[in-house]
Amino acid sequence: MTQNRWNRWMLFSIALVGGTSVSSVAVADDAARIDQRFSVESVEETPDFRQHVVPLMGKMGCNGRACHGSFQGRGGFRLSLFGYDFKADHEALTQGDTPRVNTANVAESLMLQKPLQVIPHEGGTRLKAGTWQERVLTRWIAAGAKPIDGKTPEFVRLEVTPDEIVAKQRGETFVLKAVAVWSNGAREDVTPLCRFQTNNDQIASVDDTGLVTSAGPGDSHVVVYYDNGVVPVPVLQPVSDKFGPNYPKVPTPTKIDELVVQKLSKLGMLQSDLCTDADFLRRVSLDMTGTLPPAAEVEAFLADTTVDKRARKIDELLERPAYAAWWATKFADWTGNNAGKLNNNRAGVAANTLSSDWYEWLQTRVEKNVPYDQIAEGIILAVSRQDDETYAQYCERMSGYYQKEAKGRFADQPSLTHYWIRREFTKPEERALGFAYTFLGVRIQCAQCHKHPFDQWTKDDFDRFKEFFARAQYGNSPGTKDEEKAMFEKAGIDTKNLKGNDLGKAIREHLNKGETMPFAELFVPQPQRVNPKRPVDPNKKRPQVVSGRTAKVLGGEEVKIGEMSDPREALMDWLRDDSNPYFARSIVNRIWAGYFNVGIVEPVDDLSLANPPSNEALLDYLTTEFRNQKFDMKWLHRTIANSRTYQLSWHPNSTNEFDDRNFARAVPHRLPAEVAYDALQLATMSDADAAKWQVSMDGRSIGNTIVDSRANGRGRSNYALTVFGRSIRDSNCECDRSSESSLLQTVYLQNDAEVLSMINGKGRWVDQILKKDVPDRSAKPGNVEMKERQARRVAELDLARLKQRLAAAEKKGRTDVVAALQKELAERTETPVDAAAVVAPKVAPEEPGADLPTIIRQAYLRTLSRLPTEAESVRAARYYAETGDVTRGTRDLLWALVNTKEFVVNH
């Protein structure tokens, strides 16, 4: 749901509750601007604390984080950051040892004297005498400095016009107007009280009066802030003269293409051409399955002439094990699967085992294409016991998963309980933050302490939201301690003397013997009615669950969680509701980013009002259809990959070369760490081993590899994955993964012993082709003719370069160089080309006959997923001739190819 639609819904709800008709709100006249009303000294109006005074203090910077809005305050005086807490701010101004307001002697008020610099003020001059701003503060104090009360209307929404700015040239200006709408139907032009921000000052700037100035071609947003309202306004300037009616007609075979082109036509930004078949196959294989296509698959795809081969390939890739493996790894990132945080499971099960369980649970559901909302439900509503299961039956089932002769798999149970038992995920506030990152794509950590600077959330919103997560507990559920004790006694385990690792070791020994061991469990205690006259003891290890408590979803309704058996059920219902503006939208945005390396909202876990989509219509369409398709993830993958937009070339044109947010072309980007490492392995391993990796995920980095914050970087593959920025899964934040290039990556690819071993090692591809019994076909007429043709191409290229050097020397007047080059040119044209000398290297006696064109072709296919160009083939053949050693030439060629940007970048 867009912000405007959400605001309209909120207005309708408030109007019904407050008894104000929607029609009266819609037709109310706007009150004049406050700077006009208070422009004269004789003004008698009394400003409102919430509507005028607090926003004005925000405009002046008084409640900013660099001043009194900081956590410690400034100069012994503290305000709520950005003015979210009206009651506390009023008390801070009017009460205490040094009140800032003096209603008996207005002129003596520190609220006036300090910003006027009548007395020293660390924050400098913030107010000038005789201005409308001074009159607003003076009139409020003189009228008694009244606080907000029960009659103060609620803020409903902020309307900003124009709602879109289209500039024709640099330096063009536009004036913003902001109107606040209140629950009593009042409307006021609050432009002078708003704060303004630009999201890209290279596109547009905005001053503190709301004057927008176009700064250059492209598109961005300016953002307007007032009270709890945050409104982004699109600003764009066409990048060429091909905008609007001048935009050329381009194919739009899908709705995605239609909506992308709709935005591009406003910008005058032309799309690149379609990518080649080779580029498409490499791109979609890496994006969808995290896997480099094998050489044979590339050749077959290039030879296929059917018109629907791309669509068929997409369907084929979605059924491969690598699709489920790679996207389960992404889900493991998003949900925070970190073995280093699973060592408090109290069951003696190794943290790495629990981490593998977590991954397999996700992988099983991605492979079966379980709808996304059902996957989320299995995590959000997780409890340890299944329906009607006793504690003894639960322990028997769990023990079976981890015994030497395993009975079943954890991945087959309905709940992913491990999500809830992590260290640093036990407190309600920790759970609220992680949940918001994972399932909403929202960053709400700021609202723990103060109003969110770039969104509508306040500390009260956060405090009420975290209540949904307070009831779920991990440990011994009520009434199970005696059973647990009996199981330990039966096994002969002395829990008084065995603690920590020693206890865990003993439990594992008995599990391996096939015995049932006690397991802690995730459970939700039922609410209890308590004596209202007896306060809840906050020091109890398990706080009492009081009936009657309430919580509130973000931007939604209050829920009476105290009467619910599991408050998380209300959360799940909210996520599935069509009006929810985050749940479906956030996963659509994440999956889109998996194919374009940038989200429609970027960063993908920052769906805030001040960070709007680059193409809101596109995100709305995909979100709505994803819901209509009942959260079918394969439908979403297929829809994105089949779009013409996804299949555009990475080669830019003059209109889109600097753009990376409007999808006018593919933007090359470095491969993710796991994909890069697997690609390096696939490019250098034997054909037989590479074929196994297409059907089995054993040994694959894109699959079930353990992320452990306690041992990050240990081990050979872990070192490579760390260097290439694998997610550390520390905070559920997208920032846990790095896609930046670094010198360490270059050093690793060029010089690391592991990479050299992949190329030179026994049983690898180089070793395979040199051991093949390849027949010597050099005597065949066709082969001789081919070598002669290649020799001629080499000679032609050399002559062309020589002539270029000669022309350059003549232009610079270098007579000595000209003479030498002319002599060399004469010698070259008189000397016949020796085909054998140029193409066929000296093969050592112990080496078999080598089919160089095939080797060169295969090297390019297995690394860059394309055929070599004619020039590349000739250059490679010439290097073989220079080395005179097939083994060295092949190793060097493979090393050179995996060290190209083309190899480590998806394009």
Side-chain angles (χ1 to χ4, degrees), residues 74-288:
R74 199 55 79 84
F77 175 53
R78 180 176 178 239
L79 293 169
S80 64
L81 186 62
F82 306 117
Y84 74 91
D85 193 332
F86 303 108
K87 182 176 183 293
D89 286 350
H90 188 271
E91 290 174 354
L93 287 165
T94 60
Q95 301 175 21
D97 296 334
T98 311
R100 260 51 184 178
V101 166
N102 186 341
T103 55
N105 191 344
V106 175
E108 294 296 318
S109 297
L110 293 177
M111 187 179 185
L112 297 172
Q113 289 188 330
K114 287 211 169 223
L116 285 168
Q117 284 283 49
V118 173
I119 60 176
H121 181 223
E122 186 181 343
T125 301
R126 297 283 172 168
L127 194 62
K128 291 183 179 180
T131 60
W132 68 267
Q133 293 95 331
E134 184 202 22
R135 293 188 191 101
V136 169
L137 299 181
T138 300
R139 284 294 303 149
W140 176 69
I141 299 170
K146 296 178 181 177
I148 63 171
D149 56 29
K151 297 179 181 178
T152 302
E154 290 296 318
F155 175 78
V156 175
R157 71 179 184 274
L158 187 66
E159 295 178 352
V160 180
T161 52
D163 58 6
E164 182 180 65
I165 294 174
V166 180
K168 295 180 181 177
Q169 59 187 4
R170 183 182 281 105
E172 197 171 351
T173 59
F174 304 84
V175 178
L176 294 175
K177 177 182 177 181
V179 174
V181 181
W182 300 90
S183 58
N184 63 355
R187 298 168 59 90
E188 180 181 355
D189 184 341
V190 292
T191 308
L193 298 171
C194 291
R195 293 180 291 118
F196 302 94
Q197 166 195 299
T198 177
N199 284 354
N200 187 340
D201 59 11
Q202 301 297 308
I203 305 299
S205 63
V206 60
D207 67 14
D208 62 1
T209 69
L211 181 68
V212 179
T213 303
S214 174
D219 72 305
S220 184
H221 291 81
V222 292
V223 187
V224 187
Y225 301 89
Y226 173 81
D227 197 278
N228 210 28
V230 182
V231 178
V233 178
V235 182
L236 60 88
Q237 180 183 327
V239 299
S240 75
D241 60 358
K242 303 294 185 184
F243 63 91
N246 295 329
Y247 197 78
K249 186 172 178 61
V250 295
T252 53
T254 71
K255 186 67 175 180
I256 288 176
D257 303 318
E258 179 184 325
L259 294 171
V260 168
V261 169
Q262 189 178 91
K263 171 77 179 291
L264 295 178
S265 65
K266 291 182 179 181
L267 284 165
M269 188 178 292
L270 306 183
Q271 290 182 316
S272 294
D273 295 328
L274 277 178
C275 67
T276 64
D277 283 341
D279 277 353
F280 168 77
L281 179 62
R282 189 176 201 269
R283 181 189 303 171
V284 74
S285 298
L286 290 168
D287 286 339
M288 190 171 280

Side-chain angles (χ1 to χ4, degrees), residues 431-684:
R431 291 171 171 177
L433 292 175
F435 176 91
Y437 270 126
T438 300
F439 298 107
L440 306 179
V442 171
R443 302 177 179 183
I444 59 171
Q445 64 268 36
C446 292
Q448 280 184 275
C449 304
H450 54 75
K451 184 186 181 302
H452 198 294
F454 307 119
D455 216 326
Q456 60 187 307
W457 315 125
T458 66
K459 185 176 184 301
D460 181 65
D461 290 325
F462 181 86
D463 289 340
R464 300 182 74 182
F465 179 62
K466 73 180 184 182
E467 290 296 323
F468 286 107
F469 307 95
R471 290 254 298 275
Q473 297 178 16
Y474 177 68
N476 292 106
S477 63
T480 61
K481 283 191 176 181
D482 289 343
E483 290 183 85
E484 178 188 74
K485 182 179 178 181
M487 289 182 193
F488 278 130
E489 289 177 348
K490 183 179 179 181
I493 297 176
D494 182 2
T495 56
K496 291 184 179 179
N497 295 316
L498 288 178
K499 304 292 181 183
N501 291 335
D502 292 333
L503 179 59
K505 183 179 178 181
I507 291 173
R508 286 193 292 274
E509 288 175 353
H510 286 273
L511 283 173
N512 287 333
K513 294 177 184 178
E515 298 176 20
T516 296
M517 287 285 100
F519 278 74
E521 56 182 316
L522 179 69
F523 64 98
V524 181
Q526 297 306 299
Q528 300 175 354
R529 296 192 176 276
V530 298
N531 187 343
K533 296 181 180 179
R534 183 182 300 169
V536 175
D537 183 359
N539 297 316
K540 281 196 172 185
K541 188 173 182 181
R542 280 209 183 113
Q544 293 166 283
V545 181
V546 184
S547 64
R549 294 180 71 174
T550 63
K552 189 177 180 182
V553 296
L554 294 176
E557 296 295 324
E558 187 175 71
V559 181
K560 292 183 178 180
I561 59 171
E563 310 301 328
M564 301 183 68
S565 59
D566 187 347
R568 300 174 302 171
E569 292 177 0
L571 269 184
M572 197 62 231
D573 291 341
W574 174 60
L575 295 184
R576 282 194 169 113
D577 193 285
D578 287 347
S579 67
N580 184 290
Y582 305 110
F583 178 60
R585 194 176 181 89
S586 65
I587 191 63
V588 165
N589 191 49
R590 287 186 192 271
I591 291 177
W592 178 276
Y595 288 92
F596 290 89
N597 196 48
V598 62
I600 305 173
V601 174
E602 184 67 24
V604 295
D605 55 5
D606 188 18
L607 271 64
S608 66
L609 295 178
N611 184 39
S614 60
N615 191 324
E616 187 162 6
L618 174 62
L619 186 54
D620 284 347
Y621 161 72
L622 286 172
T623 301
T624 300
E625 286 304 306
F626 183 54
R627 285 201 200 96
N628 292 341
Q629 295 293 328
K630 302 188 184 304
F631 299 94
D632 183 339
M633 290 195 294
K634 282 189 177 180
W635 172 87
L636 184 57
H637 287 280
R638 187 180 294 110
T639 299
I640 292 172
N642 272 310
S643 70
R644 186 176 185 274
T645 300
Y646 176 69
Q647 298 179 23
L648 294 174
S649 169
W650 62 273
H651 294 287
N653 56 49
S654 60
T655 68
N656 67 26
E657 60 182 327
F658 301 115
D659 183 79
D660 60 0
R661 56 183 259 122
N662 287 298
F663 319 113
R665 64 182 173 94
V667 178
H669 54 276
R670 184 176 63 72
L671 298 177
E674 300 89 339
V675 178
Y677 187 73
D678 278 3
L680 192 59
Q681 292 273 22
L682 278 163
T684 55

Side-chain angles (χ1 to χ4, degrees), residues 775-810:
D776 186 355
R777 297 177 293 180
S778 59
K780 293 186 179 181
N783 203 45
V784 172
E785 289 175 7
M786 180 192 67
K787 291 181 178 181
E788 289 176 349
R789 285 197 304 272
Q790 287 189 339
R792 283 194 294 273
R793 291 192 198 108
V794 172
E796 288 167 0
L797 286 170
D798 285 346
L799 283 173
R801 294 192 189 98
L802 197 58
K803 289 176 181 178
Q804 288 175 349
R805 290 170 60 197
L806 178 59
E810 289 174 339

Side-chain angles (χ1 to χ4, degrees), residues 804-819:
Q804 288 175 349
R805 290 170 60 197
L806 178 59
E810 289 174 339
K811 187 174 181 180
K812 294 179 180 179
R814 298 286 301 277
T815 54
D816 54 335
V817 177
V818 169

Side-chain angles (χ1 to χ4, degrees), residues 655-716:
T655 68
N656 67 26
E657 60 182 327
F658 301 115
D659 183 79
D660 60 0
R661 56 183 259 122
N662 287 298
F663 319 113
R665 64 182 173 94
V667 178
H669 54 276
R670 184 176 63 72
L671 298 177
E674 300 89 339
V675 178
Y677 187 73
D678 278 3
L680 192 59
Q681 292 273 22
L682 278 163
T684 55
M685 65 174 45
S686 68
D687 291 334
D689 288 341
K692 292 176 185 176
W693 267 31
Q694 300 300 317
V695 294
S696 171
M697 294 299 103
D698 291 345
R700 295 292 304 272
S701 295
I702 64 164
N704 194 359
T705 55
I706 303 299
V707 174
D708 189 342
S709 54
R710 301 166 302 174
N712 201 31
R714 296 180 191 171
R716 294 174 70 184

